[in-house]
Structures are given as structure tokens and as C-alpha cells.
Amino acid sequence: MQHSAALCQLEPAQNRSVEPSTTPAGDISTAKLPAPRPSFTASVPATFELVRGRAQEVVHTASRRCEPRDWLVALDWMIFEAKLHPKANRTTARVAMDLASRMDYRRGIVLYRLVETASNLELDVATVKRHVAYLREMGALVWLEHGSKRNLRLPGRKYTATATVYGAVVPPAYDTAKGHRLRGTGYEARVIGRTEAARKLAVDNSAQQPARKRPAPPSRGGYHHGPVAEVGGKEKATRTARASKSTPPKKTTLGHKVTAGLYQAADRLARRLRPLHNWTQRAQISELSWVLLDKLAEGATEEQVDAWLREISPSVAIGLDWRPARPHAYIASQLLEERDARRADAQLQQDWAAATAPNAKFAAAAQETRLRQTSGEEVPDCGGLQDLDQETRKQMRAEAWSAYKYAGDPSLVLTTYELAGPSAAFELYGRELVDLCVKLHANANNARIRLH
């Protein structure tokens, strides 16, 4: 992987001609993390051999791939409960949490960035290298790609190196202790269930927990306003009569009426276009044809639909080599976004058409302001944060908290943070709210993380 400004540093084990040595003694633990929660484990391994040498590579590893959230749960067991590594401690957990915050949330892949990690955690570079080595020796990290400081000599760039890429994994000792049943071996292994002993232990553990008091079921009232059956007449409640009742016609994603001819045309179109777009392969023909109904209802041709699918392809629209698990849902979301954009443009055109010219006083004031700016006359500066009274500060802080809690909007705090500086933001909104807003903004694109 090319990296234009490689912040990653090489470790001794990254040189293939040198065998990795044992990790040195010594450690710095400055974090005050919450105590690990107790977990019910099937068995803690009596002996565990540290992973060394080629076993730390993705090709030769015995550990399986893991998502960041499950990886942190497994690390809690490996570090604090099973103590797989004699030197791993809370600092190791802090380093792992920093790596997990930058991981791909589905594949658990992360760029090392040694200097950046040390700066974020306020640790020495050597300390971070030691604890990353502990993670590798526990079988919790594998090398996907070794970085190098050697210049690639790309045209137009003075210096270009390659970055170290790690993958989050869990060792077989964790799966054995938790009673996981796996399919496959090594990095591509997957959890498909639990052993009988693990299920029995989970039942026993749940029985030991205090029973929760469940609310009583709602009572059925003694009086209901229901229709009264009438006896007699010519009409009968038969199956034929129920089937003859009129049902509303089905609608497409954008509300177009679905006809038999339109659906048949969409089915033929889906069968021709699905082989041409690799990111739609996971969708069934029926699913793909249903979301293409709107384009055909609007009069689009096959060539136009083909070009539109290429435009909304994730590699073009998002810039990632990613295939959606449900392509038809992704296409439907693109249809809705385009409809909302068209409505917003139409509303903007109506607003401009209905806009009225400013009155004479407003025009005169605007002309006077322009003259003052062009004449070089100094305009008095607006007051700073020190000019705000306590009541105004209290109101601004309440509005910022409300925007963060109920709308997930950190813009009020981030504007002050970026324009006036962190110290001014801390003084006005408080350190807790500023930290929460900065964290929310940093994880805005991660759909798997809920911050509040």
C-alpha cells in the first residue's frame, strides 16, 4: 500500500532477514480505564505459547479475522482475565483502543501510524512498539503488509514510502475458551455456533443471575366497540366474496403505479444489466427489477439506466472499493436522494421567483456599507467571548447541549472550536461537551458506532 507521507515506522520484526526478539521488560501505564467486566468463560487455557516469527503473518496465522467491537471484547478476556501475555496490561488495552478507533469496521484492517498513535496516547514511540508487539505475540494482530521507509521514486513526488497494515484477529485459545464452533481455519475462519458444553454453561450462568421482575400483561377490557353481526340477507362471507374485494395497486419506491407490462420490462432489463455491474451481483433478479421500475416509469432507456448504475456505483459515488450487502436497498436510497434533490431545486426556484426586491431603506443601508468598505474606513470589531454576560453564556451552552443530545449536531461547538480555538470552546461550553462533539465529528462516517 502506497503512503504519500508514511507516518509508520519500521519495527525490528518487519525486516524479514532478522528474527523477532523477545519483548523487553518495562512498561508505562498511565491510563485510568474502567475495570474489566467479569465474563463467564468455559475454560481458561492452562498453557499458551506466544506467537512468534512467521505465525504473525496473515498467511501463516492461526487466528481468525474479527471486527473491531468483538476484537475489543476478546482483548478484555486475553489481557485481564486469561492473561495470555505476562507483560500485557492497561497500556496495551489503550493502544488497542486507539487502533480499533481507526479500523475498518467490517474487516478490522488498520494502518499502523506509529508516530500518530504515540502522539494520541501521549506515550513514547518505543512504548507503543512494545505493546503492539505484545498484541502480535498474543495472536491479536497480524501483518497484512510490511511497511518500508525506502523511497518508491514515483514521478512527481520527492519521497514516497509504504505503510504497515495490521489486521485484527483473535487466537484459537479465545474460541476454545468461549466454546465457539468454527468453519475454516486461519485468517478466514468464521464462528458458526457454540458447543454443547458452552450452551449448557450459558444456561447455568443465566440461571444464577437474579430474575428480573416482568410487568404484568395488559388487561383486556370488558367493553369493545365492535360491529354487530347481522343474520340473514343474500350476501355470504365466502372465500370468493373475500377475494373479490378490491385491493390498492402496488406502488414503486417513488410511488409509480406498477403494471404487468412495466414489471416484465424491468425484469428483462435487470437480467441484462446485472452481469454488467459487479456490485449488483448480490441482488436477486426480482429485487433488482423492482428498484428499476421507477427509471422505466420515467421513460429512461436501457442505455440511460446502464449509465445511471455506473454513476451511482460505490466506487464512483463513494470512492471506495465496496460492494453493498443489499444492492437493491442501496439503489432505492439513491432514488430517494435524487427525488429529494429535485424537490429541493424546484422549491428553490419557486422561492427565487416569489422573492421581492429589498425596500429603499435596506438598499440604502447596503450601499452605505459597501461605500465604507471601499473607502478604507475601519469597521468596529465585534465583541469577543469576554463580552458575553453569564445569562448569554448559559443560554448558548444549553442550546449546544440540546443540539448534541437530541439532533446529534455538534456544529455550534465545532464552529467555536475551529474559529476561536480549543481554549475558548472549553471556556464557553465546557470540556465535556467539546470532547463529545469532537469525538462525534471524528466518527461521523462510522455507522456502527453510537456515541450517545
Coordinates of all heavy atoms in Angstrom, one line a residue, residues 39 76 118 145 147 182 201 226 280 282 322 333 359 372 403 422 425:
S39 N -16.7 -12.0 33.0 CA -17.4 -12.8 31.9 C -17.3 -14.3 32.3 O -16.4 -14.7 32.9 CB -16.7 -12.6 30.6 OG -15.4 -13.0 30.6
D76 N -10.2 -7.9 26.1 CA -10.5 -7.8 27.5 C -10.3 -9.1 28.2 O -9.7 -9.2 29.3 CB -11.9 -7.3 27.7 CG -12.3 -7.1 29.2 OD1 -11.8 -6.1 29.8 OD2 -13.0 -7.9 29.8
A118 N 1.4 7.2 19.0 CA 2.1 7.6 20.2 C 1.7 9.0 20.6 O 1.6 9.3 21.8 CB 3.6 7.6 20.0
E145 N 0.6 -6.3 5.6 CA 1.6 -5.7 4.7 C 2.6 -5.0 5.6 O 2.3 -4.3 6.5 CB 0.9 -4.7 3.7 CG 1.9 -4.3 2.7 CD 1.2 -3.5 1.6 OE1 0.0 -3.6 1.5 OE2 1.9 -2.8 0.8
G147 N 5.5 -2.4 6.2 CA 5.9 -1.1 5.6 C 7.4 -1.0 5.4 O 8.2 -1.8 5.9
L182 N -16.1 -23.3 14.8 CA -15.6 -22.5 13.7 C -15.8 -23.3 12.4 O -15.8 -24.6 12.4 CB -14.1 -22.2 13.9 CG -13.7 -21.5 15.1 CD1 -12.2 -21.2 15.2 CD2 -14.5 -20.1 15.2
L201 N -23.3 -24.2 29.8 CA -22.7 -23.2 30.7 C -23.4 -21.9 30.7 O -23.7 -21.3 31.7 CB -21.2 -23.1 30.4 CG -20.5 -22.1 31.4 CD1 -20.5 -22.7 32.8 CD2 -19.0 -21.9 30.9
G226 N -67.4 -3.0 18.7 CA -67.2 -3.9 17.6 C -68.5 -3.9 16.8 O -69.6 -3.7 17.3
T280 N -23.8 -5.3 -8.2 CA -25.2 -5.7 -8.0 C -25.4 -7.2 -8.0 O -26.5 -7.6 -8.0 CB -26.0 -5.1 -9.2 OG1 -25.5 -5.7 -10.5 CG2 -25.8 -3.6 -9.3
R282 N -25.1 -9.4 -5.7 CA -25.8 -10.0 -4.6 C -27.3 -9.8 -4.6 O -28.0 -10.4 -3.8 CB -25.2 -9.4 -3.3 CG -23.7 -9.7 -3.0 CD -23.3 -9.0 -1.7 NE -21.9 -9.3 -1.4 CZ -21.2 -8.9 -0.4 NH1 -21.8 -8.1 0.5 NH2 -19.9 -9.2 -0.2
W322 N -16.1 -1.1 -2.5 CA -17.0 -1.7 -1.5 C -18.3 -2.1 -2.3 O -18.7 -1.4 -3.2 CB -17.4 -0.7 -0.4 CG -18.6 -1.0 0.4 CD1 -18.7 -2.0 1.3 CD2 -19.9 -0.4 0.3 NE1 -19.9 -2.0 1.8 CE2 -20.7 -1.1 1.2 CE3 -20.4 0.6 -0.5 CZ2 -22.0 -0.7 1.3 CZ3 -21.7 0.9 -0.4 CH2 -22.5 0.3 0.6
S333 N -32.2 3.8 -2.1 CA -31.7 5.1 -1.3 C -31.2 6.1 -2.3 O -31.5 7.3 -2.1 CB -30.6 4.7 -0.3 OG -29.5 4.3 -1.0
N359 N -36.5 46.8 0.1 CA -37.1 48.2 0.1 C -36.0 49.2 0.0 O -34.8 48.9 0.0 CB -38.0 48.4 1.3 CG -37.2 48.1 2.6 OD1 -36.0 48.2 2.7 ND2 -37.9 47.6 3.6
R372 N -18.4 52.3 2.8 CA -17.5 52.3 3.9 C -16.4 51.3 3.8 O -15.2 51.5 4.1 CB -18.3 52.1 5.2 CG -19.2 53.2 5.6 CD -20.0 52.8 6.8 NE -19.2 52.5 8.0 CZ -19.6 52.1 9.1 NH1 -20.9 51.8 9.3 NH2 -18.8 51.9 10.1
A403 N -28.7 20.6 21.0 CA -28.4 20.2 19.6 C -27.6 18.9 19.6 O -27.8 18.0 18.7 CB -27.6 21.3 18.9
P422 N -9.5 25.9 20.8 CA -10.0 25.0 21.9 C -10.2 25.6 23.2 O -11.1 25.3 23.9 CB -8.8 23.9 21.9 CG -8.1 24.0 20.6 CD -8.2 25.5 20.2
A425 N -13.4 27.4 23.3 CA -14.6 26.5 23.3 C -14.7 25.8 24.7 O -15.8 25.6 25.2 CB -14.3 25.4 22.2

